[in-house]
Amino acid sequence: TGTAGANGINGVAGSSGPAGPTGSQGLVGLTGATGTAGANGGAGATGGTGSQGLIGATGSQGLIGATGANGGPGATGANGGPGATGGTGPQGATGSQGLTGANGGPGATGGTGSQGATGSQGATGSQGATGANGGVGANGGAGQQGSIGNTGSTGNTGNTGSTGNTGNTGSTGSTGNTGPTGNTGNTGPSNVYSGAITFSGNQILGSLGASKSSTAFGSFAANKSYLVRYYITTYELPTLMNLYPYPVSTVATFTGATPTFVHRYFVANGTDWNNGNEKPTVTIVGEIAIDGQLAAAPFELQITVSIGVASATGMYVSGQYFSQLVGAVG
């Protein structure tokens, strides 16, 4: 059996408790006795007797004696005795526990069991008949095995082994599922582009329904959407003015890719005033909402203007456009 570990060393004695509180102040000394009153001043001297006259004048009354000085202050009372000693401070904290005794050594190995007794010898074979020798007697059986000795007491548990080495890094886990698509962010600010709409020769002339297409303009990017506003002005030569007002119309077409779009316009008749000259005009104001999300390539815009009268002298035509990139067209 392993021997028991020795008792731990006694804990260090607790430190002294804190000093007791200061004793209360001694009582105030008694007030000193009142000083003795000063002596009364002496009586004033009696006025002298007037000389005997017919009737002598009454002598003036003597002055009242001065009041005696006040007695000096009484002596200061003796100091009070010292306050009583403060009570004993509380007991100091208990010292920390002594170190644990060392583990007992491993128990001694149990002794080997005693050897079993030798089995008894086999009986001697009987005398054989004369002639052949009798057979050799069989060996005696083996003695029984001795019983196993008692198991020794279990020794104290050994100290904890050191920490094992860090295991190898596990294999990388499989890729997680793709998260849901985030909400579409707000459309950022966009520039407004402007430019001239030009027509070859700047005139429309011919029979009823004559038309003229503008030069392609805009340079719109693939997969983008835009809002376009345009202004196209037409007028006759000021020396003629025989057809005003006349009907006009516009058609929007695209070169490059062909986006989805919505086109609306209206016609306004009016008179332009320029440098003191009047010029009646027919103006077309239009807007085009372009959904270019499915336009796989850049594209440009063309506006074709048609007139509803026949004109041999022609109608002059010019224009201006403004385009703005938008997030989407609903």
Side-chain angles (χ1 to χ4, degrees), residues 32-308:
T34 304
T36 306
N40 292 330
T46 304
T49 304
S51 60
Q52 183 80 31
L54 293 176
I55 297 174
T58 304
S60 60
Q61 185 175 351
L63 298 173
I64 300 172
T67 303
N70 291 332
T76 304
N79 290 333
T85 302
T88 303
Q91 183 175 351
T94 304
S96 57
Q97 184 176 353
L99 300 174
T100 304
N103 292 333
T109 305
T112 306
S114 57
Q115 184 173 355
T118 304
S120 58
Q121 185 173 355
T124 303
S126 58
Q127 180 78 32
T130 303
N133 292 328
V136 179
N139 292 332
Q144 296 179 349
Q145 184 174 353
S147 57
I148 297 172
N150 295 328
T151 303
S153 302
T154 303
N156 294 328
T157 302
N159 295 329
T160 303
S162 57
T163 304
N165 296 329
T166 304
N168 295 329
T169 304
S171 326
T172 304
S174 57
T175 304
N177 297 329
T178 303
T181 303
N183 297 328
T184 302
N186 296 327
T187 301
S190 60
N191 295 330
V192 174
Y193 300 92
S194 65
I197 302 176
T198 59
F199 296 84
S200 176
N202 297 327
Q203 273 187 298
I204 307 173
L205 69 158
S207 59
L208 175 68
S211 63
K212 176 77 71 172
S213 294
S214 72
T215 303
F217 62 90
S219 298
F220 302 105
N223 307 120
K224 302 293 183 182
S225 298
Y226 298 86
L227 180 63
V228 177
R229 172 171 288 188
Y230 66 85
Y231 302 84
I232 295 177
T233 301
T234 67
Y235 61 94
E236 293 180 85
L237 287 174
T239 55
L240 298 178
M241 298 302 298
N242 59 340
L243 299 176
Y244 180 85
Y246 46 85
V248 294
S249 65
T250 60
V251 174
T253 56
F254 293 89
T255 61
T258 304
T260 303
F261 68 97
V262 176
H263 176 205
R264 294 289 182 270
Y265 68 90
F266 67 89
V267 178
N269 299 325
T271 301
D272 184 25
W273 177 263
N274 189 6
N275 295 326
N277 297 317
E278 293 185 11
K279 182 172 67 176
T281 60
V282 176
T283 300
I284 307 162
V285 179
E287 284 190 337
I288 307 173
I290 303 172
D291 183 357
Q293 294 184 33
L294 300 180
F299 52 93
E300 292 182 306
L301 176 62
Q302 279 186 305
I303 300 294
T304 300
V305 181
S306 300
I307 59 174

